[in-house]
Amino acid sequence: MYMKKIALTGIKPTGILHIGNYFGAIKPALRLAKEYDARYFIADYHALNTVKDPHVLAAHIREVAAGWLAAGLNPEEVIFYRQSSIPETFELTTILMAFTSKGLMNRAHAYKAAVQENLENHEDPDAGINMGLFTYPVLMAADILLFNPDVVPVGRDQVQHVEMAQDIAQGINFNYKGDILKIPQAAVQAEAAVVPGLDGRKMSKSYGNTIPLFAPEKQLRKLIMRIVTNSQGVEEPKDPETSQIYLLYKLFASAEEQQALAKQYRHGGMGWGDAKEELFRVVRRELSPLRNRFEAIIADTPALDAVLAQGAAKARPLAQATLNRLRRAAGIAG
Ligand code: ADP
Ligand code: TRP
């Protein structure tokens, strides 16, 4: 029997979704789900490391779940669940801990960056670093290894974590002399370039330069009008490829629209205000239907909860199979 390959990825509910998440993660993952058996989940226990307000965390979980559904995730095709609904994840984490050297965690980029920042601020190297952050790659390895994925679509910053999952799985397979855990591969979407933010840096919630995916139209327009531009006058010819407005425009506009705007840029006679209005037009065209779907989905709490519960019910037997295989190999069967 031909078996489809498996793709798995997790999304941390640490903030409101923005268009960088949409073009960089959600859209490519939904494209991948057409070819692969997809398992996509909300990494709520990962978010707990940084989000300590219960109302905020609960709201982000629902927003991210509704966001994926509004963007087109079909829960009949994709197994879509909350990490916290799969207790096998946490049992597997305990097993993986026994096979994870502390040195491996010391080398994790996110931990090293946090230590570096503390040192620069003349603080204790581990100030503000909890064990959840330190052991983050082990929990992530459990998320992955539990479901035997072939590929894990992630952003470039997450590749090291997937490599750590490979290392840990290889250690286990070597110790128990068998292919107990499948070795996953990271898949970085080459075409999903970095989406620029309002200030020209990478769009990121940590820079406060985002365009939220579901912003009301008035706010959307205001944000677009705030995009930083240079002081070139209306009559001056402009280079589209160095313009934030144009780079964002490319994500939303058809090929003809892109060519037409590029021509106007190069020709001169178009001010930044006009370019922003044109950007707003295409952004609104794509995001309005998405926002309407999002608002309907998020308003219906029982239906949203049911979708996630149904996803968990499909995911748990798969997780139990892997966990039981490993428990038996380890001599902890029963
Ligand atoms: P943020 O930087 O806002 O905190 P996350 O780290 O939560 O975003 O990213 C979630 C997903 O969205 C990741 O897969 C990441 O690669 C993708 N992503 C985030 N910002 C961008 C961006 N500006 N361009 C492309 N992809 C992005
Ligand atoms: N660490 C990932 C991020 O910050 C989220 C995540 C958690 C994840 N578990 C995962 C991604 C498992 C892929 C597979 O974006």
Side-chain angles (χ1 to χ4, degrees), residues 18 20-21 24-25 155 157 193-195 202-205:
H18 55 74
N21 301 139
D157 58 320
V194 172
V195 176
K202 175 190 173 215
M203 185 174 288
S204 169
K205 57 184 167 281

mmCIF file of all heavy atoms in Angstrom, residues 18 20-21 24-25 155 157 193-195 202-205, ligand 1:
data_model
loop_
_atom_site.group_PDB
_atom_site.id
_atom_site.type_symbol
_atom_site.label_atom_id
_atom_site.label_comp_id
_atom_site.label_asym_id
_atom_site.label_seq_id
_atom_site.Cartn_x
_atom_site.Cartn_y
_atom_site.Cartn_z
ATOM 1 N N HIS A 18 0.480 37.586 12.500
ATOM 2 C CA HIS A 18 0.711 38.715 11.593
ATOM 3 C C HIS A 18 0.991 38.202 10.185
ATOM 4 O O HIS A 18 1.095 36.971 9.992
ATOM 5 C CB HIS A 18 1.820 39.622 12.126
ATOM 6 C CG HIS A 18 3.125 38.918 12.418
ATOM 7 N ND1 HIS A 18 3.971 38.486 11.434
ATOM 8 C CD2 HIS A 18 3.720 38.598 13.595
ATOM 9 C CE1 HIS A 18 5.036 37.932 11.984
ATOM 10 N NE2 HIS A 18 4.913 37.972 13.305
ATOM 11 N N GLY A 20 3.574 38.173 8.440
ATOM 12 C CA GLY A 20 4.820 37.401 8.330
ATOM 13 C C GLY A 20 4.558 35.933 8.642
ATOM 14 O O GLY A 20 5.028 35.042 7.933
ATOM 15 N N ASN A 21 3.788 35.665 9.681
ATOM 16 C CA ASN A 21 3.415 34.277 10.019
ATOM 17 C C ASN A 21 2.603 33.660 8.878
ATOM 18 O O ASN A 21 2.761 32.490 8.545
ATOM 19 C CB ASN A 21 2.537 34.215 11.277
ATOM 20 C CG ASN A 21 3.179 34.799 12.517
ATOM 21 O OD1 ASN A 21 2.518 35.484 13.290
ATOM 22 N ND2 ASN A 21 4.463 34.550 12.716
ATOM 23 N N GLY A 24 4.975 33.297 5.768
ATOM 24 C CA GLY A 24 6.191 32.545 6.069
ATOM 25 C C GLY A 24 5.926 31.160 6.629
ATOM 26 O O GLY A 24 6.785 30.281 6.536
ATOM 27 N N ALA A 25 4.764 30.951 7.245
ATOM 28 C CA ALA A 25 4.524 29.665 7.897
ATOM 29 C C ALA A 25 3.176 29.044 7.499
ATOM 30 O O ALA A 25 3.128 27.894 7.065
ATOM 31 C CB ALA A 25 4.591 29.839 9.418
ATOM 32 N N GLY A 155 10.801 27.549 10.214
ATOM 33 C CA GLY A 155 11.626 28.697 9.834
ATOM 34 C C GLY A 155 13.092 28.343 10.103
ATOM 35 O O GLY A 155 13.390 27.412 10.853
ATOM 36 N N ASP A 157 15.303 29.567 11.911
ATOM 37 C CA ASP A 157 15.738 29.603 13.317
ATOM 38 C C ASP A 157 15.435 28.301 14.070
ATOM 39 O O ASP A 157 15.978 28.068 15.147
ATOM 40 C CB ASP A 157 15.066 30.786 14.037
ATOM 41 C CG ASP A 157 13.542 30.707 13.974
ATOM 42 O OD1 ASP A 157 13.005 30.328 12.913
ATOM 43 O OD2 ASP A 157 12.889 31.007 14.982
ATOM 44 N N ALA A 193 10.170 33.959 1.537
ATOM 45 C CA ALA A 193 11.200 34.931 1.936
ATOM 46 C C ALA A 193 10.763 35.637 3.220
ATOM 47 O O ALA A 193 9.626 35.513 3.645
ATOM 48 C CB ALA A 193 11.398 35.934 0.819
ATOM 49 N N VAL A 194 11.686 36.346 3.793
ATOM 50 C CA VAL A 194 11.377 37.080 5.024
ATOM 51 C C VAL A 194 10.457 38.252 4.693
ATOM 52 O O VAL A 194 10.768 39.079 3.832
ATOM 53 C CB VAL A 194 12.683 37.591 5.663
ATOM 54 C CG1 VAL A 194 12.385 38.508 6.833
ATOM 55 C CG2 VAL A 194 13.540 36.409 6.100
ATOM 56 N N VAL A 195 9.328 38.304 5.350
ATOM 57 C CA VAL A 195 8.377 39.391 5.127
ATOM 58 C C VAL A 195 8.848 40.615 5.927
ATOM 59 O O VAL A 195 9.072 40.511 7.137
ATOM 60 C CB VAL A 195 6.961 38.979 5.585
ATOM 61 C CG1 VAL A 195 5.981 40.137 5.441
ATOM 62 C CG2 VAL A 195 6.478 37.760 4.798
ATOM 63 N N LYS A 202 12.830 42.615 9.698
ATOM 64 C CA LYS A 202 11.953 41.448 9.597
ATOM 65 C C LYS A 202 10.691 41.701 10.426
ATOM 66 O O LYS A 202 10.784 42.166 11.570
ATOM 67 C CB LYS A 202 12.705 40.222 10.129
ATOM 68 C CG LYS A 202 11.860 38.978 10.174
ATOM 69 C CD LYS A 202 12.546 37.842 10.916
ATOM 70 C CE LYS A 202 11.582 36.699 11.065
ATOM 71 N NZ LYS A 202 11.579 35.896 12.183
ATOM 72 N N MET A 203 9.535 41.411 9.857
ATOM 73 C CA MET A 203 8.313 41.578 10.635
ATOM 74 C C MET A 203 8.321 40.568 11.774
ATOM 75 O O MET A 203 8.498 39.370 11.570
ATOM 76 C CB MET A 203 7.073 41.359 9.762
ATOM 77 C CG MET A 203 5.773 41.635 10.495
ATOM 78 S SD MET A 203 4.307 41.543 9.445
ATOM 79 C CE MET A 203 4.457 43.015 8.457
ATOM 80 N N SER A 204 8.167 41.066 13.006
ATOM 81 C CA SER A 204 8.195 40.178 14.163
ATOM 82 C C SER A 204 7.483 40.843 15.324
ATOM 83 O O SER A 204 7.596 42.055 15.515
ATOM 84 C CB SER A 204 9.649 39.896 14.564
ATOM 85 O OG SER A 204 9.674 39.248 15.821
ATOM 86 N N LYS A 205 6.769 40.008 16.101
ATOM 87 C CA LYS A 205 6.058 40.630 17.236
ATOM 88 C C LYS A 205 7.047 41.201 18.234
ATOM 89 O O LYS A 205 6.735 42.144 18.940
ATOM 90 C CB LYS A 205 5.056 39.676 17.876
ATOM 91 C CG LYS A 205 5.625 38.377 18.359
ATOM 92 C CD LYS A 205 4.503 37.493 18.887
ATOM 93 C CE LYS A 205 4.971 36.080 19.099
ATOM 94 N NZ LYS A 205 5.053 35.282 17.860
HETATM 95 P P1 ADP B 1 7.588 36.297 15.637
HETATM 96 O O1 ADP B 1 8.931 36.617 14.998
HETATM 97 O O2 ADP B 1 6.577 37.347 15.327
HETATM 98 O O3 ADP B 1 7.718 36.025 17.125
HETATM 99 P P2 ADP B 1 7.284 33.446 15.456
HETATM 100 O O4 ADP B 1 8.704 33.245 15.853
HETATM 101 O O5 ADP B 1 6.212 33.071 16.411
HETATM 102 O O6 ADP B 1 7.078 34.956 14.967
HETATM 103 O O7 ADP B 1 7.073 32.689 14.070
HETATM 104 C C1 ADP B 1 6.093 31.739 13.765
HETATM 105 C C2 ADP B 1 6.308 31.291 12.334
HETATM 106 O O8 ADP B 1 6.160 32.380 11.413
HETATM 107 C C3 ADP B 1 7.709 30.722 12.079
HETATM 108 O O9 ADP B 1 7.608 29.610 11.210
HETATM 109 C C4 ADP B 1 8.453 31.860 11.397
HETATM 110 O O10 ADP B 1 9.483 31.400 10.544
HETATM 111 C C5 ADP B 1 7.335 32.552 10.621
HETATM 112 N N1 ADP B 1 7.632 33.998 10.496
HETATM 113 C C6 ADP B 1 7.592 34.906 11.505
HETATM 114 N N2 ADP B 1 7.893 36.148 11.061
HETATM 115 C C7 ADP B 1 8.163 36.025 9.728
HETATM 116 C C8 ADP B 1 8.532 36.953 8.690
HETATM 117 N N3 ADP B 1 8.686 38.255 8.926
HETATM 118 N N4 ADP B 1 8.721 36.475 7.438
HETATM 119 C C9 ADP B 1 8.553 35.143 7.173
HETATM 120 N N5 ADP B 1 8.195 34.236 8.095
HETATM 121 C C10 ADP B 1 7.997 34.644 9.357
#
